[in-house]
Amino acid sequence: MSLMDILTIVVPSTLLWAAPLIFTALGGIFSERSGVVNIGLEGLMVIGAFTSIVFNLTFFDTFGNATPWLAILVAMVAGAIFSLLHAVASITFRADHTVSGVAINLLAVGLTMFLVKQIYGKGETGIISKGFSKIDVPVLKDIPVIGEIFFQNTYWTSFVAIIVAIIVWYIVYKTPFGLRLRSVGEHPMAADTMGINVTKMRYLGVMLSGALGGIGGAVYAQSITSNFSHATISGQGFMALAAMIFGKWHPLGALGAAIFFGFAQSISIIGSSLPFLKEIPNVYLLIAPYVLTILALTGFIGRADAPKAVGTHYIKGSR
Amino acid sequence: ACGKSDDNKGTETSKGGEKGKSFSVAMVTDVGGVDDKSFNQSAWEGLQKFGKDNGMKEGKGGYSYLQSKSDADYATNLNTLARQDFDLVYGIGFLMQAAVEEIAKQQKDHHFAIVDAEVKQPNVASILFKEQEAAFLAGVAAALTTKTNHIGFIGGMEIPVIERFESGFLAGVKAAKPDVQVDVQYSGAFDKAELGQSIASKMYSSGADVVFHAAGATGNGLFKEAVDRKAKEPSKDFWAIGVDRDQADMGPDVVLTSALKRVDVAVQDLSKKAMDGNFPGGEVVLYGLHEDGVGLAPVNAKAPNKDAIDKAVKDYIEKIKSGDLKVPQTRDELKNFSAK
Amino acid sequence: MDYVIEMLNIRKEFGSFVANDNITLQLKKGEIHALLGENGAGKSTLMNVLFGLYQPEAGEIRVKGKPVKITDPNVANDLGIGMVHQHFMLVDTFTVTENIILGREITSAGRIDIKKAEQEVRQISERYGLSVDPQAKISDISVGMQQRVEILKTLYRGAEILIFDEPTAVLTPQEIKELIQIMKTLIKEGKSIILITHKLKEIMEVADRCTVIRKGKGIGTVNVSETNPNELASLMVGREVVFKTEKKPAEPKQDVLLVKDLVVKDSRGVTVVNGLDLTVRAGEIVGIAGVDGNGQSELIEALTGLRKSDSGSIQLNGKELINHTPRKITESGVAHIPQDRHKHGLVLNYPIAENMVLQTYYQKPFSKSGVLNFKEIYNKARKLISEFDVRTPSEYTLARALSGGNQQKAIIGREVDRNPDLLIAAQPTRGLDVGAIEFIHKRLIEQRDHGKAVLLVSFELDEIMNVSDRIAVIYEGKIVAVVNPKDTDEQELGLLMAGSNRKEAGANV
Amino acid sequence: MSKRLTGILTPIISVLLGIIVGTIIMLISGYDPVAAYTALWNGAFGEVYYVGEVIRQFTPYILAGLAVAFAFRVGLFNIGVEGQFIVGWLASVWVGVAFDLPKVIHLPLAILAAIVAGALWAFIPGFLKARFRVHEVIVTIMLNYVALHVTNYIIRNVLAAKSGDKTEMIHESASLRSEWLQSLTDYSRLHWGIILAIACCFIMWFLLEKTTRGFELRAVGFNQHAAHYAGMNVNKNIILSMVISGAFAGLAGAMEGLGTFGYAAVKGGFTGVGFDGIAIALLGSNTALGVFFSAILFGALKVGALNMPLEAGVPNELVDIIIALIVFFVASSYIIRAFLDRIGKKGVK
Ligand SMILES: Nc1ncnc2c1ncn2[C@@H]1O[C@H](COP(=O)(O)OP(=O)(O)OP(=O)(O)O)[C@@H](O)[C@H]1O
Ligand SMILES: Nc1ncnc2c1ncn2[C@@H]1O[C@H](COP(=O)(O)OP(=O)(O)OP(=O)(O)O)[C@@H](O)[C@H]1O
Ligand SMILES: [Mg+2]
Ligand SMILES: [Mg+2]
């Protein structure tokens, strides 16, 4: 296989993998930047995947080809609403953020599977008839070399994810909202003395993580599995969490990390067809993405500093 | 609470109908649950059909199932069903082998059956399938469909069952068109659709135009990829072959056919035997083409060579049924296989 | 009489604890009004009530005669009240400008207009003589600078009334001078100031009036011009206070600590201790005077093993200790009262008792073959608590729950009790009230009199002058002069600390 | 109301609240809650067999919970218990299959192998954290996947009989099973591991609360700077805590390898025991005793749930929902405590 062949296979598949991780990791950034640890990302993706598939199955006849996009919006809303549980518990009820996140994960799986059984009378949904499908990006696809590698056989959602990452970066680093959000995650008492409503900012942070986690799940379900069952989301939320940390809580960092994960994963798949990797036992390719990530962290990333007040409760008047 | 003491089970439960109590049968699914679109679902459909045909009720004393939520639950579930006095309890899937063996040893007076694995106990019937025969036919169909002479095979995990699929499939391709190249790749999981999708993408990109999967839900990714590609380039061929049940619903334009594994047939058949007092305890019951236990789903009407395929498949079915052709079930056997 | 602020009969409870009991404070326009009281008297609490961080249980607040409800800091801001907090309220990872505009951002088209904001910050800082670099990150600037940022925050919000909660506790003498100048400028510009400080000298210097509170109760308000430090101190403590700690002349013996040519880098890799020589002898207190940031912290960290040294030699009683582990160094006879008691000195979530054995838990009798002996630990704790007058409900109380002064006493008790040959005390009285300071100084001198070597690092020139037997002036990572406190004055020290050499400073060795 | 009483009441109230909300969900969706809970109870305690199974189930839960809790106490979040559990499982089975030794040697050796395997697997994130400041959360997540694939590979290619998917049964001499225990519980898979698990609760408590090592570990967990200042070796303690945590997790794997299953099989996905360990540890507020009780609760709910579809026709996902709700309410115990305090005060007046 020529390098070009390899790239035209690896790049689109990298982007396909990365898209749900990017959305979800960006959600994680909103939450953790506001000071609320969110290991419930997995659960939020489950909610998003479930909602989008159910919506898609139910309303395809009504909305036609717009359905997957509408389903994303619905999943976004559902994710945001569901994340309210995490917000109420960890902000208002002063629950340990991690415990509450674990509960979110447990609850999401239990609830959605329960509902699937209620709605469909069986353990998984049917297959959606219209998900996100492969496209060639108009105009760009004709750029020599680059067009073929990056803009053919790819998915709109991947590009949306990249654009959203840039928007999130802009929001977090360039707008008053972002400044306030970060201040609340770094030093809530300082923010409070500046008249910023710490509780409100944190609720917003968590709900944005719910919204983006929901989108992540919806993108995953509608561009990859096409249905919803207990196995639809199996660890992607944790990978998104890892991408967020790997990316040092920075939107563009998370974008890079998610793409790196996708790349490592794709390489492990293409590997068996590459002459120099062919003889290697399959297991090495299977573990490659994970080992590469660890090596990358050890080698050039090193220490990642979380927002200082992440995981703490802000109780007015305490010292 | 649950109200039955444990010492008296010996005499009561051995043979169904004898004491005026009607025959009852139940199964334990593995973690996939009854709706895994694969053998759990198929087994449950078989059991439901058997129950309805014989006027049984769903639930205790009729037909029922328990779903396992982890490997550790198999034994508990099997035991629970035996304790509820079901006359025959199925363990569905090779994962349950050890659990069935263990519980069968404890509950010597109950009948058990295991699908996809062998348990050597006098009160256990082992149901095995000749997956290689179905896969062989799928291989024939694939070989006769490919224009690029390039085919893909996606396996779930490298376990004996999937090896039978692989060996049979490769043999079928070889028999129908010896010079076709087949890429074989295992995803390492039965529930990772994204892996299936990426592997399928790679296979199609590198020139394959027919891909067969034996990878459970991982295979969903194959269909997704094929449907996407077909939608984008309707003029080109992106065929996918399903497994276990007829997966035509996964993509009417791309599903060429499916290698059927009729767990439902096997379950009905064995339940019937047990009800009639002919429980084949301690035996391995093999279901192949001959027993209607495996087969090939109807070939897609849009397939260019449909007639030729149908004909070839029919011929091979005859040969296999008659014993003229023995389909290899391991990679070693495949090495020595020749279709003559 | 027109008061800009009147806090009348304020009562604030924390659970069953009454932090403010019927306190009244009235601030006139254009005055600097000092608020004085021991640690834990309730000063910060009262100011937090005024700033809207706490809601009082009873009492009334009037701003320019009008009764108001200050429900949160926004309301305070709108009423023109700004506060410079005792513990800075700055986001370390933000720039100066970002900290200042936080909550009142200047935007254009939804985006923070950082250029314009920086310009505005520059303007205000020039107007009030508070020069800062608007683009610097908070974590990169000195404490004095950080305080200016705090002041700018209030001015940016148009505060008319400024509350300073112990602003000088963390400043160097130069910075204090500058701050006092700033406060005077602010008054000239028509602002009114409430100033909390433990330093009577400062009150005497800048304040017009002073309200004294003791144990949550208001004692009264006096005109500063009609009082003196002694009266203020006894009002505050409720008894006579001795200021100048009495001590005999030192009788120094052999060298205990001998530092030669020490080179240490800070966390950013800049060499901050640069060929430093220092000797401390048994039976003397050597004070290190210097402006913050001249390598004091790194010197101490190197001496105690908390930081790697690049080269040089650190000898204790003739034994080389450079780059040994903290454990080795403590076991060799070094005790250390750390500068940051919350970060280094205490495990806040451990009971006081367990903090008392933080370095000795593995030794007999506190443990035997790896198993702790809690009876001995509690015995030791009780003994130290009573010996060092640590005010705590019990030895089981978490260290977190103690006031700063009592936390410091606990640390000093622990360190002194280990009977070290060398006691290193870094800013041991930072933020403490005069009573506590007196207590700690006595203990340091007591150690010296027992023949120990004491190394004292402080930004308080008063403290250095009062307590030390010799003063070593540190400047840019070197000891530039060693002087006898009797032969020098603050004036000269100040110049030395600013880098001029002894001759220019006009004295002789 | 006394602190201790509140402390006991809070989890009980949380469990009750979880059950109440579960009931409401059932009523809304048209199930019979009484039948469901009866089935749950019967499935967990209705027969002595099920009691045995519940104990069997919570044995590894205790250890997985301790593993998470131990790391937590030193300020580390070990999401990698799952992976350490899997390698411990495999190691114990490997020794159990490969050697033929007298039981007094074989069984301890197999257990030790699991402990060492889990400990080594956890050493990696500990070391990387101590040496390179790499966030342990990512490393442990990644190592979970590595453990899954590597153990599958070893089982398939090294241990399994001719391209099988499962090792042979361990030799009797390495088994934790006991005819006697099984006969006591009507042939459940109850095994001696429960004794080890309880012993480990004690070990964790003793180690953390009573020893100098525990003093250091806790100090590092609360305040690394102070620990460093006090002469403790922070990095060594970080590594050590991960290693001990991994040892507990590996031992949990031995419970499955030498007790429940007696073999190791190729796994299609994670077992979930390690992840349940997180919830169990947190529910037990990271103390040994707390972990013990929350593991019992989890074990009973999980085993009991299996019976719900058959006996009451209720999907057993409902139990997952209830467990999640209980975790939620325990997490939010601040609000419950505040409520109890209010009642307490009113009661006094
Ligand atoms: N949030 C709180 N909860 C409980 N007690 C508090 C709280 N804040 C302050 N206190 C207590 O109220 C008393 C007054 O504290 P405050 O901080 O006002 O003292 P202060 O006069 O400013 O002392 P210092 O000179 O040390 O700053 C102290 O005993 C303190 O322990
Ligand atoms: N139980 C103990 N009794 C007496 N001294 C001890 C004990 N444990 C440790 N020490 C002393 O503490 C110092 C360091 O001990 P050790 O070698 O155990 O620690 P280390 O490897 O540096 O790290 P750590 O302090 O974390 O164990 C040595 O000087 C040793 O004498
Ligand atoms: Mg104060
Ligand atoms: Mg103070």
Side-chain angles (χ1 to χ4, degrees), chain C residues 325 327-328 331 361-364 367 369-370, chain D residues 212-213 216 231-234 236-237:
Chain C
T325 62
R327 173 66 47 92
K328 267 267 165 55
E331 287 180 347
Y361 62 92
Y362 60 88
Q363 294 167 348
K364 279 182 184 158
S367 67
S369 13
Chain D
T212 52
R213 180 55 69 192
E216 290 190 8
M232 303 167 189
N233 185 334
V234 172
K236 191 171 127 187
N237 280 301

PDB file of all heavy atoms in Angstrom, chain C residues 325 327-328 331 361-364 367 369-370, chain D residues 212-213 216 231-234 236-237, ligand 2:
ATOM      1  N   THR C 325      18.196  14.522  52.197  1.00  0.00           N
ATOM      2  CA  THR C 325      16.739  14.560  52.256  1.00  0.00           C
ATOM      3  C   THR C 325      16.289  15.339  53.488  1.00  0.00           C
ATOM      4  O   THR C 325      17.041  15.443  54.465  1.00  0.00           O
ATOM      5  CB  THR C 325      16.164  13.144  52.373  1.00  0.00           C
ATOM      6  OG1 THR C 325      16.642  12.569  53.587  1.00  0.00           O
ATOM      7  CG2 THR C 325      16.591  12.274  51.210  1.00  0.00           C
ATOM      8  N   ARG C 327      14.393  14.409  55.681  1.00  0.00           N
ATOM      9  CA  ARG C 327      14.423  13.524  56.836  1.00  0.00           C
ATOM     10  C   ARG C 327      15.808  13.498  57.465  1.00  0.00           C
ATOM     11  O   ARG C 327      15.976  13.675  58.677  1.00  0.00           O
ATOM     12  CB  ARG C 327      13.993  12.114  56.401  1.00  0.00           C
ATOM     13  CG  ARG C 327      14.097  10.997  57.409  1.00  0.00           C
ATOM     14  CD  ARG C 327      13.167  11.105  58.603  1.00  0.00           C
ATOM     15  NE  ARG C 327      11.798  11.422  58.351  1.00  0.00           N
ATOM     16  CZ  ARG C 327      10.822  10.535  58.170  1.00  0.00           C
ATOM     17  NH1 ARG C 327      11.085   9.266  58.213  1.00  0.00           N
ATOM     18  NH2 ARG C 327       9.590  10.941  57.966  1.00  0.00           N
ATOM     19  N   LYS C 328      16.839  13.336  56.642  1.00  0.00           N
ATOM     20  CA  LYS C 328      18.226  13.326  57.135  1.00  0.00           C
ATOM     21  C   LYS C 328      18.540  14.625  57.851  1.00  0.00           C
ATOM     22  O   LYS C 328      19.171  14.637  58.910  1.00  0.00           O
ATOM     23  CB  LYS C 328      19.196  13.164  55.948  1.00  0.00           C
ATOM     24  CG  LYS C 328      19.572  11.730  55.664  1.00  0.00           C
ATOM     25  CD  LYS C 328      20.861  11.374  56.407  1.00  0.00           C
ATOM     26  CE  LYS C 328      21.053   9.858  56.440  1.00  0.00           C
ATOM     27  NZ  LYS C 328      21.021   9.290  55.081  1.00  0.00           N
ATOM     28  N   GLU C 331      16.837  14.952  61.131  1.00  0.00           N
ATOM     29  CA  GLU C 331      17.457  14.050  62.103  1.00  0.00           C
ATOM     30  C   GLU C 331      18.844  14.519  62.530  1.00  0.00           C
ATOM     31  O   GLU C 331      19.321  14.162  63.603  1.00  0.00           O
ATOM     32  CB  GLU C 331      17.525  12.620  61.533  1.00  0.00           C
ATOM     33  CG  GLU C 331      16.149  11.961  61.505  1.00  0.00           C
ATOM     34  CD  GLU C 331      16.174  10.552  60.963  1.00  0.00           C
ATOM     35  OE1 GLU C 331      17.202  10.167  60.370  1.00  0.00           O
ATOM     36  OE2 GLU C 331      15.174   9.838  61.143  1.00  0.00           O
ATOM     37  N   TYR C 361       6.935  10.835  64.167  1.00  0.00           N
ATOM     38  CA  TYR C 361       5.988   9.733  64.332  1.00  0.00           C
ATOM     39  C   TYR C 361       6.639   8.360  64.271  1.00  0.00           C
ATOM     40  O   TYR C 361       6.151   7.404  64.834  1.00  0.00           O
ATOM     41  CB  TYR C 361       4.916   9.826  63.230  1.00  0.00           C
ATOM     42  CG  TYR C 361       5.505   9.688  61.852  1.00  0.00           C
ATOM     43  CD1 TYR C 361       5.591   8.454  61.250  1.00  0.00           C
ATOM     44  CD2 TYR C 361       6.023  10.796  61.182  1.00  0.00           C
ATOM     45  CE1 TYR C 361       6.182   8.315  60.005  1.00  0.00           C
ATOM     46  CE2 TYR C 361       6.617  10.666  59.955  1.00  0.00           C
ATOM     47  CZ  TYR C 361       6.696   9.427  59.364  1.00  0.00           C
ATOM     48  OH  TYR C 361       7.298   9.277  58.157  1.00  0.00           O
ATOM     49  N   TYR C 362       7.744   8.265  63.536  1.00  0.00           N
ATOM     50  CA  TYR C 362       8.332   6.937  63.342  1.00  0.00           C
ATOM     51  C   TYR C 362       9.322   6.597  64.449  1.00  0.00           C
ATOM     52  O   TYR C 362       9.906   5.534  64.449  1.00  0.00           O
ATOM     53  CB  TYR C 362       9.028   6.870  61.970  1.00  0.00           C
ATOM     54  CG  TYR C 362      10.127   7.872  61.802  1.00  0.00           C
ATOM     55  CD1 TYR C 362      11.428   7.565  62.196  1.00  0.00           C
ATOM     56  CD2 TYR C 362       9.862   9.136  61.286  1.00  0.00           C
ATOM     57  CE1 TYR C 362      12.443   8.497  62.068  1.00  0.00           C
ATOM     58  CE2 TYR C 362      10.872  10.068  61.159  1.00  0.00           C
ATOM     59  CZ  TYR C 362      12.169   9.748  61.548  1.00  0.00           C
ATOM     60  OH  TYR C 362      13.165  10.676  61.441  1.00  0.00           O
ATOM     61  N   GLN C 363       9.528   7.573  65.370  1.00  0.00           N
ATOM     62  CA  GLN C 363      10.506   7.323  66.424  1.00  0.00           C
ATOM     63  C   GLN C 363       9.801   6.844  67.675  1.00  0.00           C
ATOM     64  O   GLN C 363       8.618   7.075  67.870  1.00  0.00           O
ATOM     65  CB  GLN C 363      11.266   8.617  66.731  1.00  0.00           C
ATOM     66  CG  GLN C 363      12.119   9.071  65.567  1.00  0.00           C
ATOM     67  CD  GLN C 363      12.615  10.495  65.750  1.00  0.00           C
ATOM     68  OE1 GLN C 363      12.157  11.227  66.637  1.00  0.00           O
ATOM     69  NE2 GLN C 363      13.538  10.902  64.890  1.00  0.00           N
ATOM     70  N   LYS C 364      10.565   6.217  68.528  1.00  0.00           N
ATOM     71  CA  LYS C 364      10.031   5.901  69.838  1.00  0.00           C
ATOM     72  C   LYS C 364       9.862   7.190  70.603  1.00  0.00           C
ATOM     73  O   LYS C 364      10.650   8.112  70.423  1.00  0.00           O
ATOM     74  CB  LYS C 364      11.008   4.962  70.568  1.00  0.00           C
ATOM     75  CG  LYS C 364      10.803   3.534  70.106  1.00  0.00           C
ATOM     76  CD  LYS C 364      11.709   2.599  70.845  1.00  0.00           C
ATOM     77  CE  LYS C 364      11.524   1.221  70.271  1.00  0.00           C
ATOM     78  NZ  LYS C 364      12.639   0.325  70.501  1.00  0.00           N
ATOM     79  N   SER C 367       5.986   5.426  68.065  1.00  0.00           N
ATOM     80  CA  SER C 367       5.644   4.199  67.368  1.00  0.00           C
ATOM     81  C   SER C 367       6.689   3.155  67.702  1.00  0.00           C
ATOM     82  O   SER C 367       7.794   3.469  68.147  1.00  0.00           O
ATOM     83  CB  SER C 367       5.608   4.425  65.854  1.00  0.00           C
ATOM     84  OG  SER C 367       6.905   4.696  65.375  1.00  0.00           O
ATOM     85  N   SER C 369       8.055  -0.593  66.049  1.00  0.00           N
ATOM     86  CA  SER C 369       8.047  -1.467  64.861  1.00  0.00           C
ATOM     87  C   SER C 369       6.939  -1.099  63.875  1.00  0.00           C
ATOM     88  O   SER C 369       6.165  -1.928  63.455  1.00  0.00           O
ATOM     89  CB  SER C 369       7.967  -2.946  65.207  1.00  0.00           C
ATOM     90  OG  SER C 369       7.622  -3.141  66.554  1.00  0.00           O
ATOM     91  N   GLY C 370       6.890   0.168  63.580  1.00  0.00           N
ATOM     92  CA  GLY C 370       5.985   0.588  62.518  1.00  0.00           C
ATOM     93  C   GLY C 370       4.544   0.811  62.951  1.00  0.00           C
ATOM     94  O   GLY C 370       3.719   1.184  62.145  1.00  0.00           O
TER      95      GLY C 370
ATOM     96  N   THR D 212       2.924   3.681  61.091  1.00  0.00           N
ATOM     97  CA  THR D 212       3.664   4.854  60.647  1.00  0.00           C
ATOM     98  C   THR D 212       3.529   5.000  59.131  1.00  0.00           C
ATOM     99  O   THR D 212       3.472   6.103  58.613  1.00  0.00           O
ATOM    100  CB  THR D 212       5.155   4.724  60.996  1.00  0.00           C
ATOM    101  OG1 THR D 212       5.621   3.469  60.500  1.00  0.00           O
ATOM    102  CG2 THR D 212       5.359   4.753  62.487  1.00  0.00           C
ATOM    103  N   ARG D 213       3.492   3.874  58.448  1.00  0.00           N
ATOM    104  CA  ARG D 213       3.346   3.923  56.992  1.00  0.00           C
ATOM    105  C   ARG D 213       2.015   4.587  56.617  1.00  0.00           C
ATOM    106  O   ARG D 213       1.938   5.435  55.733  1.00  0.00           O
ATOM    107  CB  ARG D 213       3.440   2.505  56.431  1.00  0.00           C
ATOM    108  CG  ARG D 213       3.307   2.406  54.937  1.00  0.00           C
ATOM    109  CD  ARG D 213       4.301   3.271  54.214  1.00  0.00           C
ATOM    110  NE  ARG D 213       5.659   2.803  54.352  1.00  0.00           N
ATOM    111  CZ  ARG D 213       6.725   3.522  54.004  1.00  0.00           C
ATOM    112  NH1 ARG D 213       6.577   4.741  53.516  1.00  0.00           N
ATOM    113  NH2 ARG D 213       7.928   3.041  54.163  1.00  0.00           N
ATOM    114  N   GLU D 216       2.104   8.225  57.046  1.00  0.00           N
ATOM    115  CA  GLU D 216       2.732   8.884  55.902  1.00  0.00           C
ATOM    116  C   GLU D 216       1.784   8.936  54.710  1.00  0.00           C
ATOM    117  O   GLU D 216       1.651   9.953  54.046  1.00  0.00           O
ATOM    118  CB  GLU D 216       4.004   8.134  55.485  1.00  0.00           C
ATOM    119  CG  GLU D 216       5.123   8.258  56.472  1.00  0.00           C
ATOM    120  CD  GLU D 216       6.431   7.711  55.916  1.00  0.00           C
ATOM    121  OE1 GLU D 216       6.479   7.387  54.714  1.00  0.00           O
ATOM    122  OE2 GLU D 216       7.385   7.609  56.695  1.00  0.00           O
ATOM    123  N   GLY D 231       9.702  15.239  55.969  1.00  0.00           N
ATOM    124  CA  GLY D 231      10.730  14.234  55.726  1.00  0.00           C
ATOM    125  C   GLY D 231      10.198  12.952  55.128  1.00  0.00           C
ATOM    126  O   GLY D 231      10.916  11.956  55.065  1.00  0.00           O
ATOM    127  N   MET D 232       8.953  12.964  54.712  1.00  0.00           N
ATOM    128  CA  MET D 232       8.424  11.743  54.096  1.00  0.00           C
ATOM    129  C   MET D 232       8.785  11.744  52.609  1.00  0.00           C
ATOM    130  O   MET D 232       8.866  12.796  51.987  1.00  0.00           O
ATOM    131  CB  MET D 232       6.906  11.686  54.258  1.00  0.00           C
ATOM    132  CG  MET D 232       6.474  11.756  55.708  1.00  0.00           C
ATOM    133  SD  MET D 232       4.713  12.052  55.845  1.00  0.00           S
ATOM    134  CE  MET D 232       4.562  12.345  57.608  1.00  0.00           C
ATOM    135  N   ASN D 233       8.946  10.559  52.089  1.00  0.00           N
ATOM    136  CA  ASN D 233       9.282  10.425  50.678  1.00  0.00           C
ATOM    137  C   ASN D 233       7.983  10.367  49.878  1.00  0.00           C
ATOM    138  O   ASN D 233       7.337   9.324  49.791  1.00  0.00           O
ATOM    139  CB  ASN D 233      10.116   9.168  50.481  1.00  0.00           C
ATOM    140  CG  ASN D 233      10.601   9.022  49.065  1.00  0.00           C
ATOM    141  OD1 ASN D 233       9.986   9.540  48.128  1.00  0.00           O
ATOM    142  ND2 ASN D 233      11.698   8.323  48.894  1.00  0.00           N
ATOM    143  N   VAL D 234       7.609  11.520  49.342  1.00  0.00           N
ATOM    144  CA  VAL D 234       6.290  11.626  48.708  1.00  0.00           C
ATOM    145  C   VAL D 234       6.148  10.656  47.536  1.00  0.00           C
ATOM    146  O   VAL D 234       5.168   9.920  47.431  1.00  0.00           O
ATOM    147  CB  VAL D 234       6.032  13.074  48.239  1.00  0.00           C
ATOM    148  CG1 VAL D 234       4.762  13.151  47.405  1.00  0.00           C
ATOM    149  CG2 VAL D 234       5.929  13.995  49.439  1.00  0.00           C
ATOM    150  N   LYS D 236       7.746   7.932  46.852  1.00  0.00           N
ATOM    151  CA  LYS D 236       7.709   6.534  47.279  1.00  0.00           C
ATOM    152  C   LYS D 236       6.310   6.188  47.807  1.00  0.00           C
ATOM    153  O   LYS D 236       5.778   5.116  47.530  1.00  0.00           O
ATOM    154  CB  LYS D 236       8.759   6.314  48.366  1.00  0.00           C
ATOM    155  CG  LYS D 236       8.991   4.863  48.698  1.00  0.00           C
ATOM    156  CD  LYS D 236      10.200   4.721  49.609  1.00  0.00           C
ATOM    157  CE  LYS D 236       9.826   3.918  50.835  1.00  0.00           C
ATOM    158  NZ  LYS D 236      10.906   3.889  51.823  1.00  0.00           N
ATOM    159  N   ASN D 237       5.728   7.111  48.541  1.00  0.00           N
ATOM    160  CA  ASN D 237       4.406   6.831  49.097  1.00  0.00           C
ATOM    161  C   ASN D 237       3.332   6.793  48.020  1.00  0.00           C
ATOM    162  O   ASN D 237       2.375   6.034  48.127  1.00  0.00           O
ATOM    163  CB  ASN D 237       4.060   7.849  50.180  1.00  0.00           C
ATOM    164  CG  ASN D 237       4.713   7.508  51.499  1.00  0.00           C
ATOM    165  OD1 ASN D 237       4.471   6.431  52.041  1.00  0.00           O
ATOM    166  ND2 ASN D 237       5.565   8.378  51.993  1.00  0.00           N
TER     167      ASN D 237
HETATM  168  N1  LIG E   2      10.294   2.761  62.115  1.00  0.00           N
HETATM  169  C1  LIG E   2      11.368   3.554  62.139  1.00  0.00           C
HETATM  170  N2  LIG E   2      12.008   3.708  63.283  1.00  0.00           N
HETATM  171  C2  LIG E   2      13.072   4.511  63.338  1.00  0.00           C
HETATM  172  N3  LIG E   2      13.571   5.193  62.294  1.00  0.00           N
HETATM  173  C3  LIG E   2      12.979   5.053  61.135  1.00  0.00           C
HETATM  174  C4  LIG E   2      11.855   4.226  60.979  1.00  0.00           C
HETATM  175  N4  LIG E   2      11.443   4.279  59.717  1.00  0.00           N
HETATM  176  C5  LIG E   2      12.275   5.106  59.097  1.00  0.00           C
HETATM  177  N5  LIG E   2      13.224   5.577  59.936  1.00  0.00           N
HETATM  178  C6  LIG E   2      14.275   6.512  59.602  1.00  0.00           C
HETATM  179  O1  LIG E   2      13.843   7.353  58.566  1.00  0.00           O
HETATM  180  C7  LIG E   2      14.850   7.529  57.590  1.00  0.00           C
HETATM  181  C8  LIG E   2      14.343   7.100  56.256  1.00  0.00           C
HETATM  182  O2  LIG E   2      13.801   5.815  56.381  1.00  0.00           O
HETATM  183  P1  LIG E   2      13.391   4.914  55.182  1.00  0.00           P
HETATM  184  O3  LIG E   2      14.608   4.331  54.577  1.00  0.00           O
HETATM  185  O4  LIG E   2      12.303   4.000  55.640  1.00  0.00           O
HETATM  186  O5  LIG E   2      12.767   6.027  54.347  1.00  0.00           O
HETATM  187  P2  LIG E   2      12.955   6.494  52.890  1.00  0.00           P
HETATM  188  O6  LIG E   2      13.261   5.369  51.994  1.00  0.00           O
HETATM  189  O7  LIG E   2      13.849   7.663  52.772  1.00  0.00           O
HETATM  190  O8  LIG E   2      11.444   7.025  52.700  1.00  0.00           O
HETATM  191  P3  LIG E   2      10.262   6.966  53.719  1.00  0.00           P
HETATM  192  O9  LIG E   2      10.565   7.935  54.792  1.00  0.00           O
HETATM  193  O10 LIG E   2       9.087   7.330  52.926  1.00  0.00           O
HETATM  194  O11 LIG E   2      10.177   5.566  54.234  1.00  0.00           O
HETATM  195  C9  LIG E   2      16.043   6.717  58.043  1.00  0.00           C
HETATM  196  O12 LIG E   2      16.986   7.568  58.590  1.00  0.00           O
HETATM  197  C10 LIG E   2      15.475   5.779  59.083  1.00  0.00           C
HETATM  198  O13 LIG E   2      16.429   5.587  60.120  1.00  0.00           O
END
